[in-house]
Amino acid sequence: MNFPKKQIFSAITLTLICYLVFFYGLGDYALWDPDEGRTGVIAKEMVKSGNWLTLTRNGEPYYDKPALFFWLVALGLKVLGLSELPVRLPSALAASLTVGVVYLWSSLSGSWRGGLWGALILATSVEFMALGRFGNTDMVFTFFLTAALLYFLWWKKSGRGAVWPFYLFLAFASLTKGPVGLVLQFLIVGIVQALRREWSFWREMRLLQGMALVILVSGSWYLLAAFRDPEYIKTFLWNHNVLRFFTSRQGIDHPEPVYSLFLILIGGFLPWIFYLPSVLNNLWERRGSEGEEERLFLAVWAATVMVFFSLARNKLGTYILPAFPPLALLTGDVVGQFVAGQEAKPKRDRWILYGSLVWLFLLFTTPPLSEILLAHRHPQYFPLGLPLFFTALFFLLAVLGWILKRERWTPWIVWFSSLWLVLWFYGVKAHEISELRSTRSLAQIVNKNAPKEYRVIAIRSESIAFYLSNHVQWVPHPGAVETLLEEPIPTVALVKEKHIKEMNRIHPSKLFVWKRIPSGNALVANVPLTNAHDLGSTLKR
């Protein structure tokens, strides 16, 4: 009877944590360019045009992604209105559901404590927290992939239920990010089956019927989109999948070294990355014991995601997010044993203790050191304002636990320090950064002060079109801005603050700086600001 009570209490606790990590103040700060601004614009145009089949950005076809994620955002805009919250809400919901699926799977597999710690670790990993509050496709994709693979693992192990939910989640993953949703899942399952020499299991998966379900669910959209705009599917499948993986070309150019995603994993899986040696040691020592199949599956899952995207010619740091759930489960298994005092293992215990102390020491020392070393190069982000009292307290508590032989406190201190960090950042710092990464405050000036008939031009700042009702004309460089400002049409231009110095063709008496944000964006126009007295920092150049 106690076990269900523990599960209920854990579920309530995780719900509260997910609210604090992913939903608290979610719509309070402006959209960050370029990704969130682009998401908001595409969904806004979907609602306005009534075209829910193919995507557009500023009136032009947008071929980069499938439609499912943007349907979710557009539905939020339609229900909740034009604001930041609907843009981020699908990611926050997907992050919470992923945490829940991780806990549920581990509990059903007989490891309640490991599932709780896996969920806690996942919810407080730096990159997972950040992308759970960020309006792009990666978290929704990660949820569908995680749900598919964990359901498959449960179905295979328990022998209960039907395999169809695996294929359904797989179809939703491909509708979120494209064919990679199919490729990754079959790679992971195939590698595990090959390692275990379970060739006959492919027949039990009902592969042909399952793929028919995938084609029915996701293929329907691809087919309809191809009829609406044949170039859409061709460009998306070829340019943004095949060419993006194998080559680098203008417009999809994100070349990085093959090892770059592993470096990002080190930072993204903080603070729990310091426990990775314990995880690897646990995998080695428990080979051949109960639960080996699940641990092998999770290890192959994480490794396949990392290697697959590392081999791609173009790569972004967000691509590795699907590796976080299996890493969290493997780490949670080890931490759960450590906290419960099960099977004293000196190597494991030392790595967890030392890893905890390293993280808490870095949390205490990195902010002041970064201000000393980086503030002169990036003054717009400093001072950080991180309360050193709390960071010092966390470190001292861990040291005290070590001295008093209460090392099993340390994972709780690490977890709480990470939770505190995200609440501090999104409660305090995110508002400051959004002024640099967004155009909301500038759009408010345009909405309040622009003439009745005017045009808006911009250099690569996506969110301006989200916040304005006017059409935004994109231009490639400051020279094009000057050309348009010289025309006898009331024009407001969004440029980078550094571009103002480059605009020398226009006489100073005809170029008006409505507002500038140091190291950020600026508004310039060929007409004066009508309510200049409201903006003390707005001056003519």
Side-chain angles (χ1 to χ4, degrees):
M1 181 162 301
N2 289 333
F3 190 68
K5 288 182 179 179
K6 289 180 180 178
Q7 287 183 314
I8 293 171
F9 176 76
S10 298
I12 294 172
T13 301
L14 288 173
T15 301
L16 176 61
I17 290 168
C18 285
Y19 167 75
L20 292 174
V21 173
F22 303 118
F23 293 92
Y24 175 71
L26 186 63
D28 291 351
Y29 49 97
L31 299 182
W32 289 10
D33 281 323
D35 292 45
E36 286 193 314
R38 185 186 308 120
T39 296
V41 168
I42 293 169
K44 176 185 173 183
E45 292 186 12
M46 182 179 285
V47 173
K48 185 177 180 180
S49 67
N51 173 19
W52 291 64
L53 187 57
T54 55
L55 310 179
T56 62
R57 182 181 62 166
N58 212 41
E60 298 296 324
Y62 181 74
Y63 297 134
D64 291 36
K65 297 288 189 295
L68 178 57
F69 172 72
F70 299 96
W71 289 341
L72 299 175
V73 177
L75 183 63
L77 292 176
K78 200 170 181 66
V79 173
L80 301 174
L82 190 70
S83 68
E84 292 81 7
L85 179 60
V87 176
R88 299 184 178 120
L89 195 55
S91 295
L93 289 170
S96 302
L97 289 172
T98 306
V99 170
V101 165
V102 161
Y103 173 70
L104 178 63
W105 174 83
S106 194
S107 296
L108 292 175
S109 301
S111 179
W112 160 79
R113 185 175 285 105
L116 175 61
W117 270 104
L120 292 174
I121 287 168
L122 183 63
T124 52
S125 301
V126 167
E127 185 170 345
F128 195 86
M129 287 189 295
L131 292 178
R133 302 178 63 98
F134 194 69
N136 73 352
T137 59
D138 291 284
M139 187 58 75
V140 175
F141 173 72
T142 295
F143 164 67
F144 287 131
L145 188 141
T146 301
L149 291 173
L150 290 183
Y151 179 85
F152 172 83
L153 189 54
W154 172 83
W155 170 77
K156 182 176 182 296
K157 187 69 176 176
S158 67
R160 291 180 288 169
V163 72
W164 310 122
F166 166 71
Y167 291 106
L168 189 61
F169 285 125
L170 193 154
F172 290 146
S174 67
L175 268 177
T176 304
K177 206 161 185 175
V180 68
L182 303 176
V183 173
L184 268 181
Q185 299 198 52
F186 281 118
L187 263 179
I188 293 164
V189 171
I191 291 171
V192 173
Q193 304 299 57
L195 290 173
R196 295 183 60 83
R197 302 180 185 277
E198 296 177 341
W199 309 112
S200 62
F201 193 76
W202 288 104
R203 289 194 298 271
E204 298 178 39
M205 289 177 60
R206 301 186 179 182
L207 191 60
L208 292 178
Q209 299 96 316
M211 290 308 299
L213 178 62
V214 171
I215 293 171
L216 178 65
V217 175
S218 63
S220 299
W221 173 80
Y222 284 99
L223 182 63
L224 292 172
F227 278 122
R228 171 69 68 86
D229 183 356
E231 193 66 24
Y232 190 111
I233 299 303
K234 176 185 174 183
T235 303
F236 168 65
L237 292 178
W238 182 251
N239 288 2
H240 295 284
N241 284 273
V242 178
L243 292 183
R244 184 184 288 270
F245 190 91
F246 290 106
T247 67
S248 179
R249 56 183 291 181
Q250 188 175 7
I252 53 172
D253 190 9
H254 302 290
E256 298 293 344
V258 70
Y259 56 81
S260 62
L261 294 183
F262 290 90
L263 298 179
I264 292 171
L265 179 67
I266 293 173
F269 200 57
L270 285 173
W272 310 104
I273 193 68
F274 294 114
Y275 292 1
L276 189 58
S278 294
V279 173
L280 297 175
N281 181 68
N282 183 63
L283 288 172
W284 177 255
E285 289 189 348
R286 296 179 67 188
R287 65 192 188 281
S289 64
E290 183 182 0
E292 181 189 27
E293 182 179 354
E294 290 88 341
R295 291 191 294 274
L296 174 65
F297 190 95
L298 296 173
V300 169
W301 174 356
T304 301
V305 171
M306 294 301 302
V307 173
F308 178 82
F309 287 116
S310 293
L311 293 176
R313 180 68 179 86
N314 294 277
K315 52 185 75 75
L316 294 172
T318 57
Y319 291 176
I320 65 173
L321 190 65
F324 280 54
L327 287 175
L329 281 165
L330 290 170
T331 309
D333 182 36
V334 174
V335 175
Q337 295 174 37
F338 175 78
V339 171
Q342 297 174 353
E343 304 178 50
K345 296 180 178 180
K347 287 184 180 179
R348 176 200 68 189
D349 297 352
R350 280 198 302 271
W351 273 111
I352 290 179
L353 174 62
Y354 297 156
S356 301
L357 291 173
V358 169
W359 158 251
L360 296 169
F361 180 75
L362 288 175
L363 185 63
F364 173 56
T365 58
T366 300
L369 285 176
S370 63
E371 295 202 21
I372 295 172
L373 299 175
L374 300 176
H376 67 285
R377 296 183 61 184
H378 305 283
Q380 66 271 30
Y381 295 112
F382 293 92
L384 291 176
L386 189 69
L388 293 181
F389 170 78
F390 291 101
T391 58
L393 180 62
F394 293 138
F395 180 67
L396 291 175
L397 285 174
V399 172
L400 183 63
W402 182 21
I403 294 172
L404 298 178
K405 305 298 183 182
R406 295 290 188 271
E407 295 93 342
R408 306 194 192 285
W409 295 356
T410 52
W412 287 109
I413 298 171
V414 169
W415 171 78
F416 191 78
S417 71
S418 188
L419 178 63
W420 169 82
L421 184 64
V422 70
L423 293 177
W424 167 80
F425 180 83
Y426 286 103
V428 177
K429 203 66 183 176
H431 297 271
E432 299 175 15
I433 295 177
S434 67
E435 184 71 4
L436 297 169
R437 297 291 303 273
S438 182
T439 61
R440 182 173 67 176
S441 64
L442 301 178
Q444 290 170 345
I445 295 173
V446 175
N447 287 330
K448 183 177 180 181
N449 297 278
K452 288 185 178 181
E453 299 293 333
Y454 70 100
R455 67 180 173 188
V456 180
I457 57 178
I459 300 178
R460 194 176 168 77
S461 289
E462 305 276 359
S463 62
I464 189 73
F466 179 80
Y467 291 112
L468 294 179
S469 56
N470 283 50
H471 174 79
V472 177
Q473 178 180 342
W474 303 106
V475 293
H477 50 76
V481 172
E482 287 186 286
T483 299
L484 293 173
L485 287 174
E486 288 176 323
E487 296 178 359
I489 302 172
T491 302
V492 180
L494 177 71
V495 298
K496 294 296 182 183
E497 192 256 351
K498 63 182 180 181
H499 290 156
I500 297 177
K501 298 177 182 178
E502 303 173 20
M503 301 171 68
N504 300 314
R505 289 207 324 252
I506 304 176
H507 193 275
S509 64
K510 296 182 180 180
L511 179 65
F512 300 88
V513 180
W514 284 16
K515 184 175 181 179
R516 67 174 79 201
I517 299 171
S519 302
N521 293 310
L523 279 179
V524 297
N526 57 8
V527 292
L529 186 65
T530 55
N531 295 318
H533 60 278
D534 295 333
L535 296 163
S537 63
T538 304
L539 302 171
K540 186 185 292 186
R541 188 183 68 174

